[in-house]
Amino acid sequence: MLRALVEAGIQPDLIVGASVGALNGAHFAGRPDIEGVTALADLWSSIKRPHVFPFRPRTLVGGITGRQGHIVDPQGLRALLERATTTYQRIEEASIPLYVVATDTGHGGAVVISEGSVVEALMASAALPGIYPPVEIGGRMMIDGGVAANIPVVQAAYLGATTIYVLSTVPPMGALPDRTAADMVLRAMVLATAPIVAADMAEASRLADVVVVPLPQAGPRSMFDFGTTRQLIDRSYHSASEWAEKLMDAERTLPLTQP
């Protein structure tokens, strides 16, 4: 989707992301061009499930028995985030202003992080509850930004955006599998946050023009399944390219505004 927008000449003035969207946004904020998008696609295509979800007996037992609040060692995720942000280390050094959204475990609200270590902010924003451990930033414990702001459009509007392009990584409910316990965690999270997303979209639409880039048609995919990454990237690119072309054609045929 990013590649289609760049090819259509759409360049952001700021980037706001939560969870995996924050990872994509952070990479693009450091390399906001076709080469950067290509590198991001290559990065995702190189990832296998054990790289970011290394289920190990000791960690699983620790989470189940209450010795710790997570079941996955976060070091694999950290390594991925370090690979995604090689062009800068602090958020304020990004080529495009970047805002990373996480969830404060104390009050349950969304927190916008705009300075400090980009990797630490992304670790917090991607800390899936129960899967990864919370991350402490500024004396507050943070978890996945998707809990409080699965699609952080309100945060973008409050930051001054007048046109917001939504590149959602949240699949429709029909594309969410329910075969495993982990699948059910994701499904429950999407269900629980759906009313928040609807309210946020309505509020953001009142403050700015909200443009949703359509998702491609795809069958159920587990968040632990990295076997069809390149296929999904290609399908998303073609879908978004067709959409962007129609959008540009519509804008070119608009009548001129009289003075």
Side-chain angles (χ1 to χ4, degrees):
M1 289 188 278
L2 272 174
R3 185 182 188 94
L5 292 185
V6 173
E7 289 179 348
I10 299 171
Q11 281 285 348
D13 298 307
L14 58 90
I15 296 171
V16 186
S19 195
V20 70
L23 185 163
N24 291 331
H27 188 286
F28 188 66
R31 301 182 64 182
D33 49 32
I34 290 295
E35 289 74 19
V37 175
T38 300
L40 179 59
D42 291 341
L43 174 64
W44 276 114
S45 298
S46 71
I47 298 171
K48 306 299 181 185
R49 195 270 302 162
H51 293 161
V52 287
F53 295 114
F55 294 111
R56 299 189 176 99
R58 183 175 180 179
T59 311
L60 286 170
V61 171
I64 293 170
T65 59
R67 292 201 299 270
Q68 60 195 27
H70 61 281
I71 61 172
V72 173
D73 186 331
Q75 293 311 308
L77 176 62
R78 180 177 293 275
L80 168 63
L81 298 178
E82 289 174 348
R83 289 173 60 196
T85 55
T86 56
T87 58
Y88 64 105
Q89 294 183 327
R90 295 184 62 83
I91 295 175
E92 54 268 39
E93 296 170 350
S95 299
I96 296 176
L98 172 68
Y99 300 89
V100 177
V101 179
T103 300
D104 188 316
T105 61
H107 56 68
V111 176
V112 178
I113 306 170
S114 59
E115 60 183 14
S117 166
V118 64
V119 170
E120 288 304 310
L122 295 177
M123 287 291 292
S125 186
L128 284 164
I131 305 294
Y132 295 120
V135 176
E136 182 178 351
I137 295 180
R140 295 188 290 184
M141 300 304 292
M142 308 283 185
I143 57 173
D144 196 296
V147 173
N150 217 345
I151 303 179
V153 285
V154 168
Q155 288 72 25
Y158 289 168
L159 287 165
T162 55
T163 301
I164 303 170
Y165 288 89
V166 177
L167 282 68
S168 176
T169 60
V170 182
M173 191 58 61
L176 290 172
D178 56 6
R179 292 172 298 180
T180 68
D183 290 339
M184 290 306 297
V185 168
L186 180 60
R187 176 177 281 269
M189 187 170 169
V190 172
L191 280 170
T193 58
I196 300 174
V197 170
D200 285 353
M201 290 291 283
E203 174 68 4
S205 298
R206 187 181 65 81
L207 302 169
D209 293 329
V210 178
V211 182
V212 180
V213 182
L215 287 167
Q217 295 294 322
R221 293 290 193 283
S222 168
M223 67 176 178
F224 300 110
D225 178 10
F226 292 86
T228 58
T229 298
R230 179 59 70 173
Q231 177 188 7
L232 292 174
I233 290 173
D234 292 342
R235 190 176 296 173
S236 297
Y237 167 66
H238 291 300
S239 174
S241 293
E242 292 178 1
W243 168 85
E245 185 176 349
K246 293 177 182 177
L247 183 68
M248 296 301 108
D249 287 343
E251 291 185 354
R252 284 191 289 267
T253 57
L254 287 174
L256 294 176
T257 302
Q258 296 298 318

